[in-house]
Amino acid sequence: MYTDYIESPLGLVEFKASDKGITQLIFCGTQSIKTANNPITDLCKQQLIEYFSGKRKQFDVPLDPKGTDFQKLVWKHLSHIPFGKTLSYLDIAKLVNRPKGSQAVGGANGRNPISIIVPCHRVVGSNGALTGYAGGIERKLWLLAHEGIAIKHSKEVDALDLNNVINTRQAKTQFLK
């Protein structure tokens, strides 16, 4: 397993790779381990730098996510949501032939091990409202704004402050190895 990091506007980002592809990408707060890179982590680092600088809208680094068949199917469909666009959980449920499976899609979305590259941040509520994000709703809002996606203003959205999460490890990472 290979591991590397970049500093981003959203805090420290950790990404890991097998010899086949990226296995995880998370916001790790201030926690880091010794790096050991390979050509895949080097490519990932370069593409992330380009994304955060506004020069990249699509990733082509190889991926090797670990999950159930259903999770992988959902993640595959997430990967097809274009930069600057959003879909709802219901939209994804219909794409995976589970039209009543919005909650199951939400569960798979929440366990996406490869944030940003598999753009789970581009999934919103059916009414277009901002919904949860393992990296913190503040990071999701930043990512959507970075991609030019406007979110409905509300008291809750207006009160969000990226500084509240920038040094925190994203939630739901205990299942990652």
Side-chain angles (χ1 to χ4, degrees):
M1 189 64 70
Y2 305 93
T3 304
D4 206 348
Y5 299 86
I6 67 159
E7 275 294 340
S8 80
L10 303 174
L12 191 62
V13 175
E14 174 187 87
F15 43 100
K16 295 186 177 194
S18 67
D19 289 319
K20 291 195 234 174
I22 297 297
T23 59
Q24 75 180 55
L25 186 151
I26 63 166
F27 300 102
C28 61
T30 57
Q31 300 174 7
S32 62
I33 60 172
K34 186 175 179 189
T35 62
N37 60 331
N38 72 354
I40 294 171
T41 58
D42 292 344
L43 179 61
C44 183
K45 183 180 237 176
Q46 182 59 41
Q47 290 189 8
L48 287 168
I49 290 167
E50 293 167 357
Y51 172 81
F52 284 115
S53 69
K55 296 176 184 168
R56 176 169 291 275
K57 296 182 179 184
Q58 187 173 350
F59 294 91
D60 57 14
V61 64
L63 304 179
D64 186 22
K66 306 297 183 233
T68 67
D69 289 343
F70 178 73
Q71 289 170 335
K72 289 178 184 179
L73 179 62
V74 169
W75 302 335
K76 177 181 161 193
H77 284 281
L78 296 179
S79 295
H80 296 306
I81 304 172
F83 182 97
K85 302 288 184 196
T86 60
L87 289 179
S88 71
Y89 295 97
L90 179 59
D91 293 331
I92 301 291
K94 289 176 181 175
L95 288 172
V96 298
N97 294 317
R98 299 264 307 263
K100 294 183 181 183
S102 295
Q103 286 185 318
V105 166
N109 196 54
R111 292 186 60 103
N112 170 21
I114 307 174
S115 296
I116 303 171
I117 295 173
V118 177
C120 53
H121 62 277
R122 296 180 188 152
V123 181
V124 296
S126 292
N127 63 355
L130 198 59
T131 55
Y133 184 63
I137 202 78
E138 295 88 347
R139 285 182 176 125
K140 181 174 185 167
L141 184 61
W142 188 97
L143 289 164
L144 293 173
H146 176 68
E147 296 185 10
I149 299 168
I151 294 297
K152 294 178 187 177
H153 282 278
S154 67
K155 281 185 190 179
E156 294 81 15
V157 169
D158 292 340
L160 295 175
D161 183 357
L162 185 59
N163 291 318
N164 292 336
V165 298
I166 206 156
N167 291 316
T168 61
R169 183 175 180 87
Q170 83 178 53
K172 299 182 183 177
T173 58
Q174 65 277 9
F175 64 92
L176 299 173
K177 302 268 189 245

